[in-house]
Amino acid sequence: MSDSSNLSVESDGLTPEQRLEPPNTRLINAGIATIHDMETLRACVAYENANQGRVQILRRLEQRASEIRSQDD
């Protein structure tokens, strides 16, 4: 198994695509809210940058990163 596949799926089994491509924003927000580690968050940012580049989603991911960092303190 390659390292990239390990980075793309969190323990709950959701890929960045599954988190960021639902049909409505409430599901996208829920997908982002359930990110609990920086590894998964980075994979989601990379996916968003490579595929959609939606500023609102990237800002929400940035906000979630700040929340994760503050929990680690």
Side-chain angles (χ1 to χ4, degrees):
M1 185 179 277
S2 71
D3 288 338
S4 63
S5 65
N6 290 338
L7 294 175
S8 65
V9 179
E10 192 182 5
S11 60
D12 63 10
L14 293 177
T15 65
E17 181 178 12
Q18 290 169 319
R19 289 180 186 282
L20 301 175
E21 295 298 334
N24 69 59
T25 56
R26 288 180 18 197
L27 290 174
I28 293 171
N29 288 336
I32 292 171
T34 59
I35 297 172
H36 299 294
D37 61 272
M38 292 304 288
E39 206 171 288
T40 300
L41 188 113
R42 286 186 194 103
C44 289
V45 169
Y47 176 85
E48 185 63 25
N49 281 326
N51 292 283
Q52 299 288 338
R54 297 168 290 190
V55 174
Q56 293 165 314
I57 301 300
L58 290 168
R59 283 185 184 145
R60 181 64 186 103
L61 289 166
E62 182 179 14
Q63 180 184 2
R64 184 66 188 133
S66 295
E67 293 167 359
I68 292 169
R69 284 187 203 106
S70 70
Q71 291 170 358
D72 290 343
D73 290 343

